Every structure is written in C-alpha cells, then in structure tokens.
Amino acid sequence: MTERTPPDYDAVVVGAGFSGIYLLHKLREAGFNVVLVDAAAEPGGIWYWNRYPGARVDSQVPLYEFSLPELWRPWSWSERFPGWEELRAYFRHVCDTLALWPLMRMGWKVENARFDETLGCWRVQRESGETISTRFLLPAVGFASKPYIPELRGIGDFAGEWCHTARWPQQGIDLNGRKVAVIGTGASGVQVAQEAAKCARTLTLFQRTPILALPMRQEILSKKVQEREKLDYPAIFEQRRLTSGGFEAQSLEVSALEVDEATRNAHFEALWRRGGLGFWYANFADLLTDRKANRHAYDFWRDKVRARITDSDLAEKLAPFAPPHPFGTKRPSLEQDYYEIFAQDNVSLVDLEANPITGIEAHGIKTQDGEVECDLIVFATGFDAGRGGLIDMNIAGTGGRGLSRAWEDGLRAYLGMAVSGFPNMLFAYGPLSPSGFSNGPTSAEIQGDWICDFMVWLRNEGFDRFEAEPQAEAAWTEMVAQAGAMTLFPEADSWYMGANIPGKKRQLINFPSVSIYAASCEDVARDGYRGFATS
Ligand code: N01
C-alpha cells in the first residue's frame, strides 16, 4: 500500500463470537468492505474454545441468541440451557443464513496490529506473516479469551495430561475411568466436575473459595413449545436492551429491608423455583449495594444448599455459615447436581484454604497434608478478563506504544470501546463496557449497532480518522470506578475486580448496567460523537 492506494479493507473485525459476527453483518449491510478473522477453526468464540464436557450457557432460551427474525424464526433449541455443541451449530446457522462465510477467514490468528501514522490505517499481521491493511480495526475477542493458569511448581514433571478448560482439545478428552483433578470451582469447574463425577474413577475438586451456585432447572424444549413462545420473542428482545443485565428482567425496585420476612422469603423462593440466574439479576433492588440486604439472600441460599448436603464438615466448606463474599459479587454459576456429587464415593473436595497445594509431582498434586493421585489435571482457573485477549494481539498505537503499556496503571477506555493513542480502533465486549455483567448477545447488538452508526457517520462526514480524547477517556474510567464504589463488588476478590490475576490493578472492569450504558452511548452519538477527535 502506498499513499495513493487505499487500505485493503474499511474494517477488519477480529473474533467470530456474538460481537464479531454481528459487526460483520451490520457493516456489510451498511456497504463497508469488511472482513472477519479468527484464530479458531470454526465460529462461536467462547463456544469454540470452551468445549469441555458439560460446557453450556447459563442464559435461558431465547435470551442467548440474536434478535434478528430471519435467525430465530427457523431455529429451535433442544434444551432451555443449550450446550456447546448446539451453540456451535447455531453459529453455523447464523453464518449460513446471513451468508457471512465469504467474509470470514478462520484459522487466521492475529500476531500483531500496528497503526501506520503516515497512512492513517492499521496493518494487521497473521502468525504466518501475511499482512492486511484496514482503515478501522475492530477487535471483538470477548472478555474471557486469555486463560489464566497459576504457576505451580513441578507441573513440568507431571506424567499425566493437563489442560485449561478454555483450551480443551477439539478432539475431546475421555474422562472414563480417569483419576481427574479439577482446580478451581468457578462456573467452568462446576460444569466439568458434574460431568467427570459421572464417569471418572476418582474426581478431586480443589476449592479455594466456594462458588455460590444456583439451580439451573434444565428443561428439554420441544419445537411446539418454542413455536408458541416465539410469539413473545420480539417483546423479550426489546425488553432485554432495557434491563441492567441484558436479560428479560431486572431487580425489583423495592429494598429487601423494606419488606417483612415472609414477603422477602416468598420472593427468594419464587426466584429459586424458577431456576437460572434470576436469583442474582431479578432479586431485591439493594442485593448488590447493601450488606444487610445481601446477607438475607446469602442466608437463604446457604440454607437451601445445606439442606442438600448430609455431611456437616462438607456443608461448611461448600456453603459456609458466614458468607465468603457478598452474594453475587462473584459471578454465581448454575448447577444441576453439583451439591449431590460430593456424596459419591469417587468424588472428594480439597479445601485449599486449610490445605494448600505445594506442588505437582509425576503422579499427583501435593498438598500441605499429603498427595492426591491423578492422571488428568483440569485447570478451571479462569481468565485474565477484559484485557488479556486484547493485549495478546500485540496492538501498537501511535508512537508504537502497546496496549499493555497504555494499561500498565490500570484499564482505561472511553465508552469501554476506545483508547486514546489507538486511533481508528474500537473494541466490542471490552473492558469498562458492560461485557462480563451482560448477557452476551444483548451487548453485541447494542455495541454493534452503535459502532456501525459511528462508522456511517464518519463516512458521511468525510472523516477517516477518529481517536478518543484523553479527558473523555479519563472521565469514563473514573465514572465506572465510582459506580463500582457504590456497590458491594469491591468486597470480593473476583475477576470482576481484576483481583484473580497477580499484579493486575484492582478496579471494577465492567460497566454495571446495560441499559444505562446504551443510553450513555446514544447520548454521545446525539452530541456529534462527543469525546472523539475526528479528522
Ligand atoms: O473462571 P473463574 P471460570 N489456586 O475465574 C480458582 C463465564 N462462564 O472459567 O474464587 C486455586 O470464575 C478460583 O478461586 P477463587 C462466567 O462469566 C460461564 O469458572 O479466586 N484455585 C475460582 O474458583 C464466569 O464467571 C459459563 O478463590 C484458583 C476458579 O479458579 C467466567 O466465565 C461457564 C487459583 C476460577 O473461576 C469465568 O468462569 C464457564 C489458584 N492459584 C464460564 N486461581 C456458563 O455457564 C484461580 N483459582 C455460561
């Protein structure tokens, strides 16, 4: 490319999950010359990489799909909470129906992306060395694309197999008759443990903090039921944009402390019976802002769970009398029979608080009190959420400065989409946007529509360069911090707070409301894209 030749593309989208696919579709519809690249062999984003046994979504049908009628009308799911295989099939259906395949380059891993200041465009390089140029770079790599594996002494000596849940081999791992160790009891640890318990010779779960898991209440879905339910889909899709979590409902307007005990417990009970994450997102108004209100929810949860565990020591480890953190300040997961598996002879729990891991040996994991024999170690130890996948792309903005340098004192981003010093780049589902707090497809559509409108506006105005202004970025970053300070989230050592990664700055990495976020972005657009310098 020279000064006279235009870049290869108007936009390069990185990532074939919900955000990337939606952006690709919207931008193509708006007449842009756009291509999507992804390191994976198939679309699906998180559902490509997280194909461990039991991986399934925890938003119920129809929340976790696009709202485009041409996609949902012909599609039906087999379960209320679909598994990874079906989610991957859904992505294929989306790419077929929207005819996106010709614009997608799968198996195309970005090695680096560099802003060319002279030509005002990005050069994106593939691992193999191939380079493409683009006016706009749109990373849509999700919040959880960089797995975190803690450093454990001796892992190199382990004679068995080990892997992270988000790097499960595509050909699968047979758990039958294996001696399986699972480290970590977040949503991934719970899901893989439930499956391993069915067939492993032994399953040992290493728990540092108990997960406060909610009942899923899975259902088989018939086509007939779904056809009936589809009458309500347009209203549900409309509604999910107006809630704080991007779901079909949100918290009540009433405080848990304003109602009497019977009323409070009746609401808890109704949410509990319904199943799903509603106990988290449709609970009392002050669940996540008031310690006392939160404690009522925790106590209800604890008593329900303890009623399912006969061994009192185990009950205290899995559902302690005193909360390990305020309820919901770490992401609750959904479980199907998690609390029952520990009654099986082949399943045991190691409480790492009392008995920490000291190292790995050839045939097991050594703890302070002994050794646990295993031939497969599953790291369900989470992600460098928000920033990890973006930093791994080796993105260099003006002056060759990388994102890791830009974020060395903490994450900052205007609207959770743009970073000053990185012109012509917007990321979707990134830090300081609702991402980890939001139902994925809701955010994908809100941000995708906004990004596309912005690009159309730039085109109409004759601009080919934009950049977030440092003051706008600082104000947004500070506003997210202040919003977080009004909640109980800072009280937990969670990935929401960046506290799961050694050395990562402690800050709330997500904007806490989808609907307020959408309104703020709309306001910026109405105001001539305030906060962006354009030329
Ligand atoms: O990861 P996590 P995840 N030694 O970070 C433990 C989504 N998701 O993959 O709590 C020992 O939540 C850590 O312990 P602690 C969902 O948004 C959704 O499970 O930090 N243990 C924790 O128990 C979710 O929130 C689904 O004390 C260590 C676990 O590892 C997000 O992805 C399914 C450790 C990590 O839990 C991440 O979930 C899966 C160490 N050194 C994921 N380091 C659905 O259902 C960490 N841990 C849709």
Side-chain angles (χ1 to χ4, degrees):
M1 198 178 73
T2 68
E3 224 159 322
R4 268 188 294 273
T5 52
D8 301 331
Y9 296 100
D10 295 325
V12 168
V13 176
V14 184
F18 276 103
S19 298
I21 293 282
Y22 190 74
L23 268 172
L24 182 66
H25 166 62
K26 289 289 296 186
L27 293 174
R28 195 255 314 258
E29 293 246 290
F32 290 102
N33 175 20
V34 54
V35 70
L36 179 149
V37 300
D38 191 310
E42 274 189 55
I46 200 94
W47 303 107
Y48 177 81
W49 300 103
N50 291 260
R51 51 83 70 232
Y52 56 82
R56 65 179 59 255
V57 66
D58 55 12
S59 303
Q60 68 274 18
V61 169
L63 295 175
Y64 200 70
E65 62 186 287
F66 289 119
S67 67
L68 305 175
E70 64 268 41
L71 294 176
W72 58 258
R73 279 207 187 104
W75 182 259
S76 52
W77 301 96
S78 67
E79 293 175 304
R80 183 73 70 192
F81 296 92
W84 67 268
E85 295 100 322
E86 203 165 10
L87 284 154
R88 275 209 205 167
Y90 173 73
F91 273 90
R92 288 194 293 274
H93 157 69
V94 170
C95 296
D96 287 344
T97 309
L98 301 179
L100 296 176
W101 296 110
L103 308 179
M104 296 167 64
R105 311 265 179 278
M106 301 309 296
W108 208 105
K109 184 172 189 310
V110 174
E111 175 62 28
N112 62 64
R114 195 168 49 79
F115 187 67
D116 183 325
E117 291 177 56
T118 320
L119 300 174
C121 71
W122 286 90
R123 291 176 184 280
V124 186
Q125 192 177 351
R126 189 183 184 180
E127 250 181 345
S128 63
E130 182 191 347
T131 301
I132 51 179
S133 60
T134 175
R135 180 69 64 205
F136 300 114
L137 177 63
L138 306 174
V141 295
F143 75 90
S145 49
K146 166 89 173 172
Y148 166 66
I149 299 179
E151 276 177 34
L152 291 177
R153 198 173 45 80
I155 187 76
D157 302 329
F158 186 57
E161 240 180 309
W162 64 268
C163 78
H164 189 280
T165 40
R167 288 294 176 270
W168 204 268
Q170 292 298 317
Q171 70 277 17
I173 297 178
D174 188 3
L175 300 178
N176 263 301
R178 301 289 292 272
K179 287 177 274 181
V180 182
V182 176
I183 303 179
T185 53
S188 307
V190 166
Q191 291 186 330
V192 78
Q194 289 175 150
E195 294 307 307
K198 291 179 188 153
C199 59
R201 187 159 136 208
T202 59
L203 165 66
T204 311
L205 239 94
F206 292 79
Q207 170 189 285
R208 192 164 68 179
T209 310
I211 178 100
L212 312 186
L214 297 167
M216 174 177 279
R217 308 211 191 286
Q218 176 69 294
E219 278 173 58
I220 302 296
L221 278 184
S222 70
K223 234 178 145 163
K224 208 168 136 202
V225 164
Q226 273 167 98
E227 287 311 316
R228 218 172 37 233
E229 291 182 350
K230 280 180 185 179
L231 296 173
D232 298 328
Y233 279 20
I236 292 172
F237 293 136
E238 193 60 35
Q239 176 63 15
R240 72 179 182 183
R241 283 177 169 246
L242 305 174
T243 65
S244 51
F247 298 102
E248 83 298 1
Q250 65 177 359
S251 56
L252 304 179
E253 281 177 11
V254 62
S255 156
L257 307 175
E258 275 168 23
V259 295
D260 61 35
E261 195 181 345
T263 310
R264 193 164 52 231
N265 282 337
H267 184 59
F268 287 156
E269 187 67 39
L271 293 173
W272 192 263
R273 277 171 193 245
R274 205 174 302 155
L277 290 173
F279 194 83
W280 184 48
Y281 65 72
N283 217 313
F284 287 99
D286 44 2
L287 175 81
L288 294 166
T289 52
D290 185 284
R291 242 170 253 130
K292 229 171 136 193
N294 189 283
R295 182 66 195 249
H296 285 303
Y298 179 80
D299 289 353
F300 181 92
W301 172 88
R302 178 201 61 207
D303 294 348
K304 284 285 188 195
V305 168
R306 284 173 89 112
R308 291 164 58 183
I309 307 166
T310 42
D311 180 305
S312 58
D313 285 347
L314 192 62
E316 186 53 27
K317 285 177 188 154
L318 291 169
F321 182 78
H325 46 265
F327 183 87
T329 54
K330 280 192 172 188
R331 174 77 148 56
S333 76
L334 299 187
E335 55 83 29
Q336 292 172 280
D337 59 355
Y338 181 63
Y339 295 105
E340 281 72 29
I341 63 172
F342 296 97
Q344 294 177 203
D345 290 341
N346 64 334
V347 180
S348 45
L349 183 77
V350 173
D351 173 11
L352 295 176
E353 279 290 302
N355 183 21
I357 294 174
T358 53
I360 312 281
E361 308 217 314
H363 301 289
I365 298 178
K366 226 172 146 38
T367 65
Q368 196 173 280
D369 294 350
E371 184 173 340
V372 173
E373 222 185 295
C374 58
D375 55 30
L376 171 65
I377 302 176
V378 176
F379 286 95
T381 40
F383 301 88
D384 182 354
R387 66 174 191 182
L390 291 165
I391 286 176
D392 264 10
M393 281 168 53
N394 299 310
I395 299 172
T398 49
R401 199 163 68 121
L403 259 186
S404 51
R405 276 276 313 284
W407 284 342
E408 65 194 358
D409 296 325
L411 295 165
R412 52 184 183 78
Y414 181 43
L415 305 180
M417 287 192 270
V419 183
S420 69
F422 294 81
N424 290 2
M425 179 178 87
L426 292 168
F427 40 75
Y429 223 56
L432 309 188
S433 81
S435 57
F437 281 148
S438 168
N439 176 43
T442 314
S443 260
E445 293 188 358
I446 288 171
Q447 288 192 314
D449 290 344
W450 191 92
I451 290 172
C452 185
D453 288 348
F454 185 30
M455 286 187 54
V456 169
W457 180 83
L458 290 165
R459 185 174 61 191
N460 292 345
E461 297 290 317
F463 295 134
D464 54 17
R465 180 181 161 124
F466 70 84
E467 184 175 344
E469 289 167 351
Q471 309 88 300
E473 175 187 85
W476 183 269
T477 304
E478 177 56 25
M479 189 261 291
V480 176
Q482 282 180 11
M486 287 168 7
T487 70
L488 300 174
F489 284 106
E491 295 188 17
D493 289 333
S494 63
W495 64 259
Y496 287 145
M497 292 300 301
N500 63 326
I501 301 297
K504 191 170 177 178
K505 185 184 169 188
R506 201 181 169 93
Q507 70 181 120
L508 187 67
I509 68 165
N510 294 137
F511 186 97
S513 164
V514 171
S515 54
I516 297 175
Y517 174 79
S520 309
C521 291
E522 274 168 30
D523 187 50
V524 164
R526 258 196 311 272
D527 212 3
Y529 294 92
R530 182 183 69 235
F532 287 98
T534 48
S535 55

